[in-house]
Amino acid sequence: MVTAIKASNLGARATATLLAGTILSGVVAPAEAQTAAKPAAAPAAQAQATPAPVAPAVVRTIKSLRVEGSQRIEPETVLSYTRLRVGDSYTNETIDQAIKDLLASELLADVAIEGVEDGNLVLRIRENPVINRVVFEGNKRLKQDKIDKEIKLRPRQIFTRTAVRADIARIIELYRRQGRFAARVEPKMVSLDQNRVDVIFEIHEGAKSKVRQINIIGNEVFGDKKLRAQMATKVASLSHFLSSNTSYDQDRLAYDQQKLRQFYLTEGYADFRVISAVAELTPDKKDFIITYVVEEGPRYKFGPVTVNSAIRDFDDKKLAAALPIKEGQWYNAKAVEDTVEQLSETAGLFGYAFADVRPDFQRNKDALTMSMNFHIGEANRTYIERVDITGNRQTQDKVIRREMRVAEGDAFNTFLVKRSQDRINSLGYFQDKFEIERKEGSAPDRIVLAANVEEKPNGELTLSAGFSSLERFILQASIRQRNFRGMGQTASISADYSSYSKSVELGFTEPYLFDSNIALGATIFRRDYNSFNFGLNNTRNTTYKQVSTGFQLVAGLPLTEYWTLSARYYLAKDDVTLDQSTFYTDGKCDPFLAGRYYCEAVGNRLTSLVGLSLIYDSLNSRLRPTRGQRVSMGVDVAGLGGDVRYVRGRIDGAKYWGLGSGFVFSLTGEGGAIKSLDGSEVRITDRFYLGEPQFRGFDIRGVGPRVQRYQYTGDPALGTQALITTRDQVVDDALGGKAYYLTKAELELPLGSGAAELGLRPSVYVQMGSLFSIRRPQTNNYFPAYIDPKTGLPGVNADGSPSVTPRPLNDTAGNPLYTVTTGALQGSYTTCTIGYAAAAGQPCVGTSINTRALNQSGLFYEQYRGSTASPRISVGFGVNWNSPFGPLRIDVAKALVSQPGDDKKLVTFNVGTQF
């Protein structure tokens, strides 16, 4: 019987009856519905003496059938679930079976049959209620939509105990998949009017069941720590707090057994086996303890290694000599797999796409050797029947086909197929790790290449704000389509704003102009850049403003599969200005105030530049390469019209090695030089600069030639004068250089799956570089030396700096100026030692005794530093993180070798957010 407490709304849930006790485990006893009397039991003694005779079943005839209590279900439907029919005979067993059949229909909550004695049967029924709604309470880790997909109960369906039990099992299984083995589900039912119920699942999720301990029994050669490192499952600890593999997973347990076997097989233990793997849940259901029992067995070496080829083009002895495994080496199953793949690839280079390479193992347990014979079965030379491209809903077929290096009818070649795969991956339009599938064709010598692509979103609409250690507050907005119209074109518009730069840029690139193998791109831009130096108290002082407006055209022509020739034309108008109130004297740029070279850069200039680059590129991916190399050599010549004359050359290169297990090692290098063609010094705006962000460990423009201005403190007459060398009290003007070089060696480190899911990509690196080669500027040693009255020689301070005094002022004609000390003109400058002249050349009048006028600016001393090709070296650690609030890059780099004047920096970061 189902007991329900009636309630008109969910406010009565406190009085709801637990289904687990009254519904799920309750069993209706059919015998209770029977009204037929049972014969009395015989006395025990008599039963032991002689068995009681079995009474014959009483057979009666059904005179009438009636159903009472039906509301939604038609009486005929109820009777259809039984074998009772008017006129048929029946017994007690027939009545019992009818009750069982009706309850098995799951339409009824209770059944009773009356009138058994006289044949006028009345079926009294109580229908199962209708579900009004299904409610979940306490589910925080699993959203309701995920549970709804798994359960079967739905509103307006018939409520049954079987369905409730099944849904509870499904919900618990969902939580177990998340590693929550302590999860409990308590069902409740709230009765409503009109025979309706609300079904409530009260969920107690519990904590995630972690792996507390991993025990390994039977290992003698390798320690527990070494073996646990091979497993995907990790013990819950602080070192694995980012990993999702600390929870128990039955599938992962089987995977770890395979990983252990793979590890031992690569170390030569060919007989290794896992005897048992048991996971025990602690009584509190919070943790698992996993125990492996293993048998290591002896260690084997490779015996003779031979090749037996049924393909006539191959020389067995030469193939065997070129194999990576040799007799006497420790047996390694991974090396065997790599050898099979190498032989298959070799066969593919000669056009045998379906070459069957089978390793034959011959184990010698006495000598502990494993002899290998690689048998290459007979195969036909294979030709490409067709290339199928599927999955491209937006991208046109020709965009993919033009990257293919094989076509229908060509002889199959594994190298060209792999190259086609790399080129399609480099487009960046499709899923990561795209592979070209090989299928058998219509004949044994035919093969079908299937490129089943999965397109990624290639349109980017970005509005971002962030903070950079370089440019402080940053605002960026951009629209970019990398596969415009599905034709592989790139169209973009972007605008950037920060405290020190503003820019607007429009760009368009056609990679295959008129379907020919020529790329053409154009960019129109306007850039407003404020250069700055580090002034007193580490403030950033704007030194000059540069506004550039222009365009650039770039064309690329592939010469071979890997070599490309690129040409460009650049035309821009540069307007360089300085703050006249700060850096000008008498309407002219004052080098004393503005610094070296800045006055020379002021003005409007038109730059007309042509350039050529020769590029070699064999990277497997231009987005995130793991192998291959890229070298670019370029030269630019400015002077095809315009106001600027120089030649500039640059070279850069990179090489990547995939070391396995997620490690990627790379070497990169770049260098350049610029030379004026008209004999003048290269402008400061056209030179190279080096520092953050490309050279970690140094501040922005922190490497290379610079003039540093140090303020004086103290009195030379008292012997207390000294330079203020505190970093935030030094004015630092970076002058750039005409030559530079920079190299970097970097190792990208793999992380666990949990960290990888967060988008973390750490790396360690070492960098070396330098910036140099400009004409030594004339430093503003503006103040005269202090003459020691005792020796009559220029004074030298205790820190080695020259002692100086304020500089006397002269007028524009070089005449000494004096300061009027008394009267109405007190404080004014005059050329008179006594009195004051009304105008230049006029006689001096008055009796005031004037004092020599001195420069009132603070005393300072300038040094030219950093112009050396000697290397600077830094080492560091960096992390790229695709965080939920935008890309983040953090670097901690230490400058190990620096030169005097370099500005070093330990930590740099860049973070933004999208909204």
Side-chain angles (χ1 to χ4, degrees):
M1 300 271 303
V2 176
T3 303
I5 296 177
K6 295 183 179 180
S8 59
N9 52 51
L10 289 180
R13 288 182 187 170
T15 62
T17 302
L18 288 176
L19 289 178
T22 62
I23 299 177
L24 301 183
S25 61
V27 178
V28 178
E32 292 179 5
Q34 273 188 235
T35 59
K38 294 183 179 180
Q46 183 180 353
Q48 293 177 359
T50 50
V54 179
V58 179
V59 179
R60 304 180 182 89
T61 301
I62 301 175
K63 300 176 180 179
S64 65
L65 276 175
R66 189 171 75 254
V67 177
E68 293 184 359
S70 60
Q71 297 178 354
R72 301 182 311 274
I73 307 174
E74 295 294 333
E76 291 77 6
T77 303
V78 175
L79 292 175
S80 69
Y81 283 95
T82 72
R83 298 178 182 178
L84 302 177
R85 299 292 182 271
V86 175
D88 290 350
S89 59
Y90 69 95
T91 64
N92 289 345
E93 288 76 11
T94 306
I95 299 301
D96 289 344
Q97 185 61 45
I99 293 175
K100 292 178 181 179
D101 291 342
L102 288 171
L103 291 174
S105 69
E106 295 190 344
L107 297 174
L108 307 176
D110 189 20
V111 178
I113 300 179
E114 299 177 354
V116 178
E117 294 81 359
D118 58 6
N120 296 312
L121 302 184
V122 179
L123 281 67
R124 300 190 183 277
I125 65 172
R126 182 160 57 86
E127 298 175 350
N128 273 329
V130 174
I131 298 174
N132 179 54
R133 58 175 179 163
V134 181
V135 181
F136 303 97
E137 294 182 350
N139 55 311
K140 297 180 180 178
R141 301 295 178 179
L142 275 178
K143 300 299 183 183
Q144 182 166 335
D145 57 345
K146 290 186 177 180
I147 302 178
D148 283 337
K149 294 177 182 177
E150 295 292 331
I151 67 171
K152 303 300 182 182
L153 289 180
R154 292 287 185 271
R156 295 184 297 278
Q157 289 183 352
I158 302 300
F159 171 85
T160 66
R161 292 168 294 175
T162 303
V164 172
R165 284 194 294 266
D167 282 350
I168 290 174
R170 292 188 185 96
I171 295 172
I172 291 178
E173 178 60 27
L174 285 176
Y175 277 99
R176 287 191 172 185
R177 292 177 193 171
Q178 288 195 343
R180 299 182 183 276
F181 285 81
R184 293 181 296 109
V185 180
E186 296 180 6
K188 292 184 179 181
M189 180 181 71
V190 179
S191 296
L192 307 174
D193 55 1
Q194 299 179 358
N195 200 20
R196 295 175 302 123
V197 292
D198 285 340
V199 180
I200 303 171
F201 292 102
E202 286 191 356
I203 301 173
H204 305 273
E205 297 179 318
K208 219 170 190 180
S209 300
K210 301 291 186 179
V211 176
R212 179 194 296 177
Q213 188 175 345
I214 299 177
N215 301 319
I216 304 174
I217 301 173
N219 55 312
E220 298 177 358
V221 180
F222 300 103
D224 290 2
K225 184 177 181 181
K226 179 77 171 179
L227 297 181
R228 281 195 290 262
Q230 310 303 319
M231 302 177 185
T233 303
K234 303 299 179 184
V235 176
S237 62
L238 290 177
S239 60
H240 297 118
F241 76 98
L242 287 177
S243 176
S244 61
N245 292 342
T246 57
S247 58
Y248 171 74
D249 188 312
Q250 187 175 358
D251 294 334
R252 197 183 297 131
L253 185 68
Y255 175 74
D256 286 341
Q257 296 178 60
Q258 183 63 24
K259 291 288 288 183
L260 282 175
R261 176 165 174 76
Q262 288 177 357
F263 171 72
Y264 271 94
L265 289 178
T266 59
E267 297 293 334
Y269 296 89
D271 296 334
F272 172 84
R273 65 193 183 102
V274 179
I275 298 175
S276 66
V278 179
E280 297 177 289
L281 186 61
T282 57
D284 59 5
K285 295 186 178 182
K286 291 183 178 179
D287 299 300
F288 275 90
I289 298 176
I290 301 176
T291 303
Y292 294 93
V293 179
V294 302
E295 181 181 317
E296 293 178 324
R299 193 178 190 189
Y300 288 78
K301 288 187 176 181
F302 280 115
V305 181
T306 58
V307 175
N308 179 19
S309 174
I311 300 177
R312 296 179 180 179
D313 293 343
F314 295 159
D315 187 315
D316 294 352
K317 293 183 179 180
K318 290 183 178 180
L319 281 178
L323 295 182
I325 57 177
K326 306 294 180 183
E327 183 177 359
Q329 296 177 347
W330 290 113
Y331 172 76
N332 188 325
K334 180 65 168 59
V336 174
E337 293 178 4
D338 293 342
T339 302
V340 171
E341 184 177 353
Q342 177 182 324
L343 290 173
S344 299
E345 292 293 320
T346 301
L349 290 175
F350 288 87
Y352 299 97
F354 300 112
D356 183 18
V357 182
R358 296 183 181 180
D360 181 19
F361 300 85
Q362 297 177 1
R363 184 177 325 201
N364 188 330
K365 293 189 175 182
D366 296 329
L368 295 181
T369 59
M370 186 77 73
S371 299
M372 300 295 306
N373 177 50
F374 294 94
H375 177 72
I376 304 177
E378 186 176 357
N380 296 320
R381 194 180 296 275
T382 313
Y383 297 89
I384 298 174
E385 181 175 346
R386 67 179 186 274
V387 178
D388 293 337
I389 299 176
T390 58
N392 53 321
R393 293 172 296 176
Q394 177 186 351
T395 307
Q396 297 184 12
D397 272 16
K398 69 176 183 179
V399 174
I400 303 173
R401 290 186 182 276
R402 66 195 183 194
E403 303 300 329
M404 300 288 293
R405 290 301 171 257
V406 290
E408 286 86 349
D410 291 351
F412 176 81
N413 187 299
T414 54
F415 173 77
L416 295 179
V417 172
K418 187 67 172 66
R419 179 60 181 167
S420 303
Q421 182 176 297
D422 290 344
R423 290 181 65 93
I424 295 174
N425 270 321
S426 293
L427 293 175
Y429 304 158
F430 311 112
Q431 76 275 20
D432 296 336
K433 299 181 180 179
F434 159 79
E435 293 184 358
I436 297 177
E437 186 180 355
R438 307 171 190 178
K439 300 180 179 179
E440 294 184 358
S442 58
D445 62 344
R446 295 291 184 265
I447 186 174
V448 175
L449 300 181
N452 185 15
V453 299
E454 181 181 340
E455 292 182 325
K456 298 190 299 186
N458 293 304
E460 301 172 5
L461 171 60
T462 304
L463 297 174
S464 62
F467 184 84
S468 167
S469 58
L470 293 178
E471 300 185 83
R472 301 299 192 253
F473 187 70
I474 301 172
L475 288 175
Q476 295 178 329
S478 65
I479 301 175
R480 185 186 183 203
Q481 174 56 258
R482 293 185 293 111
N483 189 11
F484 187 58
R485 300 188 300 162
M487 298 179 64
Q489 301 165 337
T490 300
S492 64
I493 176 173
S494 64
D496 299 336
Y497 176 87
S498 72
S499 301
Y500 294 95
S501 65
K502 307 171 187 64
S503 68
V504 177
E505 188 170 302
L506 300 174
F508 183 82
T509 300
E510 169 55 72
Y512 281 78
L513 186 64
F514 305 124
D515 290 330
S516 62
N517 203 9
I518 298 176
L520 181 65
T523 303
I524 303 174
F525 60 85
R526 179 178 175 87
R527 302 168 184 149
D528 188 347
Y529 174 70
N530 293 345
S531 178
F532 58 87
N533 63 20
F534 290 97
L536 302 183
N537 298 316
N538 210 29
T539 57
R540 295 187 174 202
N541 303 318
T542 297
T543 52
Y544 66 87
K545 296 181 179 180
Q546 179 180 356
V547 178
S548 299
T549 305
F551 69 90
Q552 177 174 265
L553 297 175
V554 179
L557 174 64
L559 303 178
T560 67
E561 177 62 26
Y562 298 106
W563 288 96
T564 301
L565 182 65
S566 175
R568 57 190 164 274
Y569 177 72
Y570 173 92
L571 181 67
K573 180 181 180 182
D574 297 324
D575 184 11
V576 179
T577 59
L578 294 169
D579 186 355
Q580 295 191 10
S581 64
T582 304
F583 301 111
Y584 278 58
T585 300
D586 296 330
K588 296 181 180 180
C589 182
D590 190 341
F592 167 69
L593 300 175
R596 280 67 33 209
Y597 299 124
Y598 290 137
C599 288
E600 300 175 8
V602 171
N604 292 325
R605 289 175 177 82
L606 185 66
T607 300
S608 178
L609 178 148
V610 293
L612 286 175
S613 291
L614 186 61
I615 304 167
Y616 176 84
D617 189 346
S618 64
L619 298 178
N620 65 329
S621 173
R622 298 187 186 98
L623 304 178
R624 190 178 174 184
T626 57
R627 58 179 171 82
Q629 57 189 348
R630 186 182 191 278
V631 179
S632 174
M633 299 168 286
V635 61
D636 297 312
V637 178
L640 187 65
D643 307 314
V644 182
R645 305 284 188 273
Y646 65 77
V647 59
R648 178 177 61 201
R650 292 187 64 179
I651 182 171
D652 64 82
K655 186 170 179 62
Y656 296 84
W657 294 269
L659 305 182
S661 301
F663 289 92
V664 179
F665 179 71
S666 63
L667 285 175
T668 59
E670 60 179 287
I674 185 171
K675 180 177 176 57
S676 174
L677 295 178
D678 58 8
S680 62
E681 186 67 8
V682 177
R683 290 188 308 159
I684 195 170
T685 55
D686 295 325
R687 297 177 192 160
F688 300 109
Y689 289 89
L690 195 59
E692 186 187 351
Q694 68 267 48
F695 200 168
R696 306 290 183 176
F698 295 90
D699 212 336
I700 179 173
R701 299 198 295 272
V703 175
R706 61 213 321 102
V707 171
Q708 294 179 323
R709 180 180 295 181
Y710 299 88
Q711 302 292 323
Y712 277 105
T713 183
D715 189 338
L718 300 177
T720 59
Q721 191 177 67
L723 293 178
I724 302 175
T725 57
T726 305
R727 173 64 186 88
D728 60 2
Q729 297 295 318
V730 178
V731 177
D732 191 319
D733 282 335
L735 304 180
K738 293 191 293 184
Y740 84 102
Y741 64 87
L742 179 64
T743 61
K744 180 172 70 171
E746 185 170 14
L747 179 64
E748 186 173 321
L749 308 173
L751 291 179
S753 58
E757 291 172 1
L758 294 175
L760 292 173
R761 290 172 49 200
S763 63
V764 293
Y765 52 83
V766 57
Q767 288 186 274
M768 181 177 69
S770 187
L771 178 71
F772 52 95
S773 185
I774 63 170
R775 184 180 65 197
R776 182 182 181 90
Q778 180 64 43
T779 54
N780 285 325
N781 296 324
Y782 190 76
F783 301 98
Y786 170 76
I787 304 301
D788 190 336
K790 296 180 180 179
T791 64
L793 299 175
V796 179
N797 298 319
D799 59 8
S801 62
S803 299
V804 297
T805 59
R807 176 182 178 275
L809 291 177
N810 298 325
D811 63 9
T812 55
N815 300 313
L817 291 176
Y818 296 88
T819 303
V820 179
T821 57
T822 60
L825 299 176
Q826 181 177 353
S828 300
Y829 290 149
T830 181
T831 55
C832 301
T833 57
I834 299 176
Y836 188 86
Q842 296 295 319
C844 301
V845 296
T847 58
S848 63
I849 300 176
N850 302 327
T851 60
R852 188 70 166 90
L854 302 176
N855 179 21
Q856 299 302 317
S857 299
L859 303 181
F860 63 82
Y861 176 69
E862 291 185 334
Q863 282 186 307
Y864 174 63
R865 316 178 78 175
S867 183
T868 172
S870 299
R872 286 80 161 171
I873 301 175
S874 68
V875 296
F877 172 83
V879 177
N880 280 314
W881 180 27
N882 293 327
S883 67
F885 46 86
L888 172 70
R889 171 78 189 191
I890 298 178
D891 281 276
V892 179
K894 172 72 173 178
L896 299 181
V897 178
S898 60
Q899 301 299 326
D902 290 344
D903 291 331
K904 292 176 283 187
K905 192 171 187 179
L906 182 64
V907 180
T908 58
F909 70 92
N910 192 294
V911 63
T913 184
Q914 296 186 348
F915 54 86

